[in-house]
Structures are given as C-alpha cells and as structure tokens.
Amino acid sequence: MLARLDDVARWAQSSSVWPLTMGLACCAIEMMSVTSPEYDIARLGSEVFRSSPRQADLMIVSGRVAQKMGPVVKRLYDQMADPKWVISMGACASSGGIFDNYAIIQGVDTIIPVDVYVPGCPPTPDGLLYAVNLIQQQIREGGRGGILARA
Amino acid sequence: MTLSPTPLEADVVSRSDNAMVLSMGPQHPSTHGVLQIVLEIEGENVVKADPEIGYLHTGIEKTAEGLFWTQAQTVMERMDYLAPSSNALCYALAVEKLLGITDRIPERAQAIRVLAMELTRLASHCVWLGTHGIDLGAISVFFYCFDLRENILDLQEAAGGARMHPNYIRVGGVNGDAPEGFLARLDALIAKFPARMRELRGLLQANPIFQDRTIDIGILTLEEALQWSATGPTLRASGIAYDVRKAFPYSSYETYDFDVPTRTEGDAYARFLVRLDEMEQSMRIVEQARRRLDTPGPVMIDDSKVALPPKETIALSMEALIHHFKIISEGFRVPPGDVYQAIESPRGELAYYLVSNGENRPYRVRTRPPSMYNLQILKGIAPGNLIADLVVMIGSLDPVFGEVDR
Amino acid sequence: MPSTQTPPIGGAAIDPPSLRPPIDDAAIERVAPAQLRERLEALKGEGFALLLDVGGVDYLPREPRFDVVYHLLKLKPAPASVAAVGKPMRVRLLCGVSEGEHLPSVMDLWKSADWAEREIYDLFGIVFDGHADLRRIQMPNDWEGHPLRKDYPMRGPARERAPRPNFANKSNVVAGTPPTGRTLEALQEQVKRARRP
C-alpha cells in the first residue's frame, strides 16, 4: 500500500520538476530556448523557472563556473530544499569544457553532486529536454529522491 | 578545495536610519546573467549601486594565447554569446589585417559575412527584447521574440553546423558556401519579418505601462555617455550617430544602403526605440546581401597557406594534402605587429587589439568589451531611482556577461 | 590538442609593436609613464572625447616589461547625425611600464577608466596611483598572482603541479549501465512491446 503511494508521489514529483534559474553563460541562452514555443519545456511539467532556490527542485547548471561563482553555486545548492536534482548542462559545467585554465572550475561535480550530464557546447535544447526526461525517469524509479529519501 | 565567497565590502554613503546594504545577484532573474550589484538602499530608493563583475571570468584571453590562430577563434566566439558571429568576424578581420590579405577576401564571402553578422544582430536583439519584456512582466514578448530567433538559428545551423557558436566565419572567408535550401529558408524569413516586427512593436511600443516604466528612466546625457565610453545603441540614444559600420567600414559595409537610428532623449525608452529601428535596418541589409548571393563565387581566399584546401582535392593532389596537414597540425604564422580592429556589434564597438610576435599563436588578444563599458554606466545612472528602475536600466543597457568578464 | 605543451613555431619578436606592418588603424604614439597624464589631458583637450579602451600586454623578456595601451576616439560632444560624425580619428598611446612601476590613473578624466584600470591591476599587477578603489575585479578578492602575466601558468599554480584528472573515475554511473538506468533486457522488452502490431 505504501509502495503504491510512493509510486503516485514519485509520479507527481516527476511531472512538475521546477528548475532554478541558474543560467551562467551560453548554455543559459539555450536553456531559455527550451522554454520557447519551439521546444516548450512546460509540457514536461517545468512550467516555471523559480528564481528562489527554496522553491526549486532542479538546478540546471548551464554554463561555465568561474572561480568567483563556485561558492555561490554551492550556497544555492545548499539552500535548495530536499529532494533536489542537478543537471550539469554543457561541456563547461560537466568538466571545464574547452577552458582548461586557471579561471574555470573543472566540472561543477567537484562542488555539488550531479545527476545528469549533458554534453555539447552548447547542447541543443533537445539535449536538455532529454536530460529532463532522464531526471524524471530517475525520480520515478526512486533514485536519490523518493518522498521520504534525503537527496 | 576551500570555497570562501567574495566578501562584500561596501562604503555606506547614506546617513539615514533606513539604509540597508543589499546584494542583488549574482543569481537573480533580472540581472541578465551573473551580475552582483551591491546596493545601498533606503526603502525602495537606491542611494548607491556598485556592480560587482567577474562571476563569469573565463580567462578567454589567456586561453587564446595557447591555441593556434584559427583555434583561438572558437574561444573568442564564446565571449558575446548572444551574437557569436560578431566576435568571429572581428577576430577574423583583425587577423586578416595582420596577414595583409584584407583585399583578397572574395566578394561572395564578404556578402555572406555581412549576412551572418546582421542575422546575428537580429538574433541578439530578439534576446534583448524578450528578456527586457520578461523583466517588466511582459511575458508574451519573450515567446514572440524567441520564435523569431529560432528561424535565425535554423539558418545558422544550416550554414555553420551549430545553432550558437557556428564557427562559420573563418580567417580568409567563410567555412563553406550556403547549403541547399538555405536561400529558400532565408527568403521565408525575410517574408515573415515585417509582420512579426509589427507584432513586436504593437506589443510594447505604445503600451502605457511599458512607457511609464521606461520613459525618463536611466537618462544618460551626451556628456555623460562620452565620459563613460558608451558606444552602440546606448550612445546613439543619447545623440551621437557613431556607428563603426559607417565611420570605419569593414567587410564591404560601405556598399550597403542603411540608416543609423539615433535619438536624443537618452532614456531607456529611447534605447528601446533605437534597437527596434536597428532591427529593421538589419533586415534591410539582409535583403541586400541576399540579392548578392545570387551570383556564385568562391567563399574562401585562394591562399593555400591560410585557408584549408577543398576537401575533394586532398585525395588527388600532394600539395593540397601537405597544405592541409601543415595548417591543421601547425597552423599558419602571422607576421609580428599589433592591430586594433573594431566592428559594430549589437552592443556597441567591439574591438580586438591583437598582438602577434610572428609565431603560430596569438601573443595577446585584448578585447574592447562594449558591454563592460556600457555596464559601468549603471554606477552613474542608478542613484536616486527605485530598485524596479534598476531592472529597467540593466535591460536597456543590454550587457552580456561573457563579454564583461571574459 | 596543442596548448602549452606544443612549442610555438615561428619567430619570437621581442617588441612586436615596433615591427608592425603598415596598417592604417590609428595614429600610434609611444609615451613614457612620466608624460602619460600630460599627453592624455592634451589629447582630451584636442577633442578626443571617448576613451575607447585601456588594455595591458606583457612582453616578458622585453624591458620595459608591460605595455599599457590607451585607445582614444575623436568625437565632438554634441548631438550629430551620421554625416556630421564623419570619419572620426583614432589614436593609440602605448606606455611602457616596468615591473613595479606605477602609472597615474585617469579616472578623473574619463569615468570609464575605473574598471579598465582595475582589470589591468587584477590581471597584470600594474598599480594605478590616484585610483579611488583599486581592487581585484575579475578574480576573487583573495586570489594570489596576476593571471595574464606570461609567467603565470595556464592552468593556475595549484593545478599545474597536479596530474591531469582521470576522467574514467569521475562518473557516478556504473560502467556498462545503459543511459536510462534500466537493464538491457528491459529496454529490449520495451522495444518489443512498441513493435507489437
């Protein structure tokens, strides 16, 4: 009985994943394109992008993370309420991308745990939609974020 | 790794009991990117605004010093990410000046470059208008603008291979001619544009709420604009019609027929009108460039030391194979010297001060970032306004943080 | 990928600006730090109202080591149409600065010099006397070193000593897992179900 409830809860969670507006660089523009009528992330449930981390479930780190921005990303991740998921969008967020230098943190997963990595520079909006699909699948299968689980 | 956030240092100016120091950003829906403004406010009134940048510092200029001349272009494109082809064009023109091959760029390549530049200007203004509208609550404008932008990105993807950062404009010309179906899609865009432009104007221009929020906000007088080194629509809305395409023409712009919209009021509404008019002028140039694409021709310079040979010749000609190998594995060498090349990007005068010491890599690529100089204006025009007006001002200055921070 | 590992090929000119080909992009002048302010004030008086940019270059083996380059544009401070603006004049002032030498700030002449000089201080380490608020602008406040100097390693001092990361170990997905996290059999089952007539 509780298992059925859990399934329903997870289905509800996966159908309304609200991203945090964590647009950093070029990938942020493709993230904005994903909300445009052509790609329309709203049909996946991400109707609104919340600016406040307290109200968001999904942090899409879209863009290169500079040395100054690292602590800010970490603080925002800590401020998000459980359960929460992270998509590392683009090559720069996943591994430093084409910027193998002093100024860019080589992969946001050195600071925060990441659930889905999206390759590309920048990834097409289709890629980001697939990533959100994978997050939804992870939610439905119970991965890190069941309703009683800590993220 | 230790992560200590940048401590906020603010010299409090106000003497009242209501004064508060607030950090707006670096994560904020209306700052158009990673900008932190250390605000000193009394209630809703801004007493002092100190923008803090550097949250997107990528070390692009240092990275370029370790890459070949053509490879460095790929990192340059990621600076002004709303108009990537403009960075590419400026860089290619600068390198061509140092190489001394500026007059040998084929005409068709120049026409395609102008086309790519104006399309990217339109795409950038679409993002500006969409985000400016969404900051003020006009959410529909965002969808209309991004729909228009999708058409332009389709064209960029067809010609260059990627929606953003196509790396299509190269040193010596462009990377390949327009593919099949490109001209038909371009014609469709040209046909669709006037109606869409009317819709965009109809949404905001005469809207009383929009006018209330932007007229007489963020007034930048002419003297102040020159003091703050404003260029582009920001300067043109304050009265001086300085456009690099007219003053220092490049890439055959002197053969195109277009106007440079100017206003004298210097407020956010004037900057809005100037950019809207610029979109229409851009489409005018696109139509003229389209007509020139009817005549076939080469799109890359005929210089085997600089340009890659056509793919078909590599299997047949030994020289072509050797040139290809040399250019890919070693790059080409650029004679020593320095050059300052400016173009009119959607934000203002984008310029590269390129220094070469004779080797196959740039020695120094200093960017003159128009957004950084335009953003500094915020320090001057913000005091005395409401926080809500600050949002309008940032939108009207149109900064792109890839360029501000590099 | 060629980067700092590939040795550069070609000449190594010590002072490129003195060897430049005849490109007509600006009227170029070299000025010593002691005459810099005077020259800039004179140019501003002549009508060079717009300070386009202040940039720095590090020519490491050369003496003076740095070049701080001021780009100016002659524009009349009055509303003007395209025809009236005409073809403005560009001037480039190159000022050779040695290691440890200070330059006078021109923040009072042009307000836009504020951030430009802060950036040169941050990335090159050149101090501007008279600047109201000279602190780092691009790097965090507690950063050590000046990144755009030629002797600063590309990957930063901390990472330059560390070995390159082993990317195979970074992933938090078990190797061999199909992307959806389901087993291969489940996927094949799904395909079979979809293809059923």
Side-chain angles (χ1 to χ4, degrees), chain C residues 18 36 60 118:
Chain C
S18 59
L36 175 69
L60 178 49
R118 271 177 69 184

Side-chain angles (χ1 to χ4, degrees), chain A residues 3 23 41 45 52-53 55 58-59 82 85 92 98 124 136 138 142 145 149:
Chain A
I41 201 175
S52 166
Q55 299 165 1
L58 174 69
M59 175 190 265
D82 286 333
W85 293 268
C92 295
I98 60 178
T124 53
Q136 289 180 330
Q138 284 188 2

Side-chain angles (χ1 to χ4, degrees), chain B residues 229 338 340 359 364 366 379, chain C residues 8 20 51 53 56 112 114:
Chain B
S229 299
D338 61 349
Y340 180 87
E359 65 181 9
R364 171 89 171 104
R366 159 74 193 169
K379 281 192 294 189
Chain C
R20 66 190 308 266
L51 173 71
D53 189 34
S112 55
D114 185 357

